[in-house]
Every structure is written in C-alpha cells, then in structure tokens.
C-alpha cells in the first residue's frame, strides 16, 4: 500500500503537458518512486490543482485532504495526505 497510515507524506515526480494522464509506481533500492503524468501545464497554478484532483481520484480521498507542502513550482513535490 502506498499510503500506510494517515496522515502521511509522499514524494512524487510530476511530468506536466503529457499527452495522457498516468500514474506510475516503481520500486527502487531506496524505496518506491511515484511518477504522475498530467495534461495541464504549470501556468496559473493549473498543474498543482490538477495534481490534487488526480490524486484524489486515484486514492479515493477528498481533495481537501491532499496538500502540496513542498515543491509548488518544481517537478518534485512533497504531498501531505490526511484524514
């Protein structure tokens, strides 16, 4: 399970302007890597809003429980998921 117990923090890498919305998880020696592909570009905070919406759909968690706490203007983000 990605989340374990709530609240939790997850690190994701985001690729904006993708042709498809996609969510990838891969295992590495130092843990798991989560990569999120979204259609939106990082203009007027549209990409960050899309990230929260997409994670909400994938994880079946309300958007109000998902917060980007680090990396608002970067491709690597730290996300807080609460209950």
């Amino acid at each position: 399970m990605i989340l374990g117990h709530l609240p939790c923090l997850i690190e994701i890498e985001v690729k904006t302007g993708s042709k498809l919305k996609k969510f990838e998880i891969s295992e590495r020696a130092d843990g798991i890597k989560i990569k999120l592909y979204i259609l939106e570009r990082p203009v007027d905070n549209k990409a960050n809003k899309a990230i929260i919406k997409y994670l909400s759909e994938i994880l079946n968690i309300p958007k109000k429980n998902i917060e980007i706490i680090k990396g608002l203007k970067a491709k690597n983000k730290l996300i807080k998921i609460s209950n």
Side-chain angles (χ1 to χ4, degrees):
M1 181 175 187
I2 299 170
L3 299 179
H5 299 289
L6 297 179
C8 72
L9 298 175
I10 58 171
E11 292 182 30
I12 63 169
E13 181 181 330
V14 178
K15 173 71 174 150
T16 60
S18 177
K19 293 181 181 179
L20 297 171
K21 268 193 337 186
K22 190 165 68 168
F23 183 77
E24 290 181 351
I25 301 173
S26 56
E27 287 195 49
R28 302 182 328 179
D30 60 343
I32 62 170
K33 179 176 183 169
I34 299 172
K35 197 176 237 187
L36 189 66
Y37 295 83
I38 59 171
L39 308 174
E40 292 77 6
R41 292 274 185 199
V43 177
D44 296 330
N45 207 30
K46 289 180 183 175
N48 288 330
K49 289 177 183 176
I51 291 164
I52 291 171
K53 183 177 185 234
Y54 191 32
L55 286 173
S56 171
E57 293 168 1
I58 293 167
L59 302 172
N60 197 27
I61 293 174
K63 290 187 284 189
K64 67 179 183 169
N65 295 358
I66 302 172
E67 178 184 5
I68 300 171
I69 59 172
K70 187 175 178 185
L72 285 170
K73 295 185 177 185
K75 72 176 186 173
N76 294 313
K77 301 185 181 294
L78 185 62
I79 310 287
K80 180 180 179 183
I81 312 281
S82 58
N83 50 357

